[in-house]
Amino acid sequence: MSDTKKISDVLRIAVAQFNPTVGDVTGNLAKARAARAEAAGQGADLLLLTELFISGYPPEDLVLKPAFLKACMQAVEALAADTADGGPGVIVGFPRQGDKGRHNSVAILDGGKILAFRDKIDLPNYGEFDEKRVFVEGEMPGPVNFRGVRIGVPICEEIWNDLGICETLAETGAEILLVPNGSPYYRGKVDVRHQVALRQVIETGLPLVFANQLGGQDELVFDGASFAFNGDKSLAFQMSQFEETLSVTTWKRMPDGWRCDGGPMSRIPEHEEADYRACVLGFRDYVNKNGFKSVVLGLSGGIDSALCAAIAVDALGEERVRTLMLPYRYTSEESFADAEACAKALGCHYDIVPISDPVEGFLSALSEMFEGTESGITEENLQSRTRGTILMAVSNKFGSMVVTTGNKSEMSVGYATLYGDMNGGFNPIKDLYKMQVYGLSAWRNGHVPPGALGPSGEVIPANILSKAPSAELRPNQTDQDSLPPYPVLDDILECLVEKEMGVDEIVARGHDIATVHRVEHLLYLAEYKRRQSAPGVKITKKNFGRDRRYPITNRFRDR
């Protein structure tokens, strides 16, 4: 096919929200080829893939390796050669070594060759993004002539800010904006993206297609939910969230510009469903992309481990999930019954491994050194650390990844034991506050999300949802012995972490000043623990690690 073949008045654009793996250049190229074959089968003229698709996103310091950049370039050249067959052209993202440095780039491919490169100008450097560290800015772009249609290709961040990139594309003749994105999930993000895109549509008068990546990458979850707006600000199409899919959309040239004449209108999940599905997707991809065949977790009879077990079974299937009840003298019969009921409801493997002998062994070994001291937190933490050691032993023996089960409320204030319940490879609820854990658990009992491998019905026993949470490290213990009530704690933490509010502002919301001071102190004090914690799915706008980077050594207190 010659690249001079022209579009008349109909342009069929295939939008692929696929799941690449960072570093798997060969596998990502195969995915791009599969997407192109599917698009060709549906009569598409052009395939739009997502940001840095060939490398996977975000590739971070992989792009510092010349061999990696060379492999990505070779993959793009191979994909360009494919387009000589007369099928769809391709827009694909990849990291490119240019004359002035490394670029976050897009290649437009057609007719067996690379028509143009487009280098990202607006490199985000906040929150989870760190692109200025590894990429250099591109130059202000013009539109690309694709078969007679002048296409503007702003890359992700370039539609989020007011640098005039989209406006420049419109002024230089662009007829439609096709935007490859790597936009990670947080609660309510779809509405935010719609508003961002609408602002550019209003500014330029051009239709805009937003293609977003799908899949988990370490802490980040890319939720897809690709969409487009017509030039008159009407929603042209909306693709599904959390599902790998390709949609061919039909665009027609009208007197006032291009307009979408067909595409999906998928439902976007509400908050609890969206958060739960993000946890499942992020967990599944972390386990599978890192090559783990199975997972193991301690099932205590409490809400956190129960929700983690449900997420694990929904993500991987019951046969790949092993649960262990690790009782000591303070473990109640109620916890025994609840843990067993949860494992039975989920259908996963369940073992009981008592920890009395190893705990007593530790206490005996330390008895001379500890003689004359009061029994307290040290002895309680020995129980947690014994459990962590046993779980890691099972992991070593059978190759199962240990699932960490602490929530964001606990991680915030240090209500977790290093080398104990913080052991593990990944934590699906790390970025969920305690009350959100309850909310997602109640939601899952009434729903089975699309693609879930777990059963329907009540998978988290009602008693787990209703009883007072407890670590059961001493007689009659509850979390509220050490912490404010969770609704209070969670609100204070959200003010401190997500909103960076001052103490006076938080007190003005009705909170006790001494409680706020104490929570703030615990939050700062626990930073050293969080630095040693397992990665976990990002759900809120500001998670620990990528988004919130506080010093461990820190004497500031808002007094």
Side-chain angles (χ1 to χ4, degrees), residues 244-318:
E244 189 173 43
T245 186
L246 178 145
S247 292
V248 176
T249 62
T250 301
W251 294 79
K252 292 186 176 180
R253 194 192 300 270
M254 310 298 284
D256 57 350
W258 290 92
R259 184 176 182 84
C260 188
D261 188 42
M265 282 294 179
S266 299
R267 180 186 70 89
I268 297 300
E270 295 296 324
H271 292 326
E272 283 80 11
E273 179 183 354
D275 287 353
Y276 188 87
R277 292 176 68 181
C279 290
V280 170
L281 177 58
F283 182 77
R284 176 189 291 138
D285 275 359
Y286 189 87
V287 172
N288 290 340
K289 289 180 178 181
N290 285 290
F292 291 104
K293 302 300 181 186
S294 60
V295 298
V296 61
L297 69 150
L299 196 61
S300 67
I303 188 74
D304 297 324
S305 63
L307 180 59
C308 287
I311 290 169
V313 170
D314 281 341
L316 307 175
E318 61 187 47

Side-chain angles (χ1 to χ4, degrees), residues 85-101:
D85 64 3
V90 180
I91 295 176
V92 63
F94 76 110
R96 184 177 76 88
Q97 180 64 53
D99 295 336
K100 297 181 180 179

Side-chain angles (χ1 to χ4, degrees), residues 60 125-130 133 500 527 531 542-552:
E60 301 183 276
N125 201 50
Y126 59 87
E128 64 267 35
F129 302 110
D130 202 11
R133 185 170 176 273
E500 297 286 5
E527 185 63 39
R531 291 288 183 93
K542 185 175 286 190
N543 74 337
F544 291 122
R546 278 187 175 271
D547 296 329
R548 186 183 188 276
R549 308 177 193 182
Y550 269 66
I552 295 173

Side-chain angles (χ1 to χ4, degrees), residues 316-353:
L316 307 175
E318 61 187 47
E319 70 283 353
R320 296 176 66 188
V321 180
R322 183 175 203 150
T323 61
L324 269 63
M325 160 56 89
L326 301 157
Y328 189 54
R329 66 180 68 169
Y330 306 123
T331 303
S332 66
E333 290 301 320
E334 184 181 35
S335 292
F336 268 110
D338 289 341
E340 184 176 6
C342 183
K344 185 176 181 181
L346 290 166
C348 55
H349 193 88
Y350 176 71
D351 289 302
I352 299 174
V353 182

Side-chain angles (χ1 to χ4, degrees), residues 484-495:
Y486 278 116
V488 173
L489 177 63
D490 287 359
D491 188 65
I492 294 172
L493 287 171
E494 188 170 356
C495 291

